[in-house]
Amino acid sequence: MDYTMIIFLVAMIAIFYFLIIRPQSKRRKEQAALMAGLSVGDEVVSIGGIMGEITKVDENYAFVQVADKVELRFQKAAISSTLPKGTLKELPENKASA
């Protein structure tokens, strides 16, 4: 077997690891930490783009208030990110009604 072929194979495996496997595992760890850290009062965005404030959290679900008297139940995995505190109050539609 030729050494250039072995070097080429090792290089391809390294490229595959750094471009595909490593970023996916990093994102998976970040998502798991986000789901574990959800708490009442957090302002969140779902994967569908719905924004609201968490009112209740249980083992698998987060209850999110999206408007007055409107509460939706999301699987924790459907929460894509948290927002800084006060973000929802700063949105344009909330300023007009205040």
Side-chain angles (χ1 to χ4, degrees):
M1 197 177 226
D2 193 11
Y3 288 116
T4 58
M5 189 171 195
I6 293 172
I7 291 172
F8 178 74
L9 183 61
V10 169
M12 290 301 292
I13 291 171
I15 289 170
F16 185 75
Y17 173 77
F18 284 107
L19 293 180
I20 297 174
I21 296 172
R22 189 168 177 247
Q24 284 181 352
S25 90
K26 184 178 178 182
R27 176 67 182 139
R28 192 175 321 120
K29 286 179 186 176
E30 290 173 355
Q31 182 68 17
L34 172 76
M35 290 184 340
L38 291 177
S39 63
V40 174
D42 286 349
E43 296 178 0
V44 296
V45 178
S46 74
I47 57 175
I50 298 173
M51 298 175 13
E53 184 176 337
I54 295 179
T55 57
K56 181 181 169 188
V57 178
D58 65 17
E59 188 176 330
N60 296 315
Y61 297 97
F63 295 83
V64 179
Q65 182 177 3
V66 295
D68 291 336
K69 300 179 184 179
V70 179
E71 189 174 86
L72 302 174
R73 179 174 45 181
F74 289 97
Q75 289 182 332
K76 283 184 174 181
I79 304 295
S80 68
S81 64
T82 58
L83 300 170
K85 297 283 183 190
T87 301
L88 295 176
K89 292 178 182 164
E90 296 296 321
L91 293 175
E93 62 270 3
N94 289 338
K95 286 183 179 180
S97 64

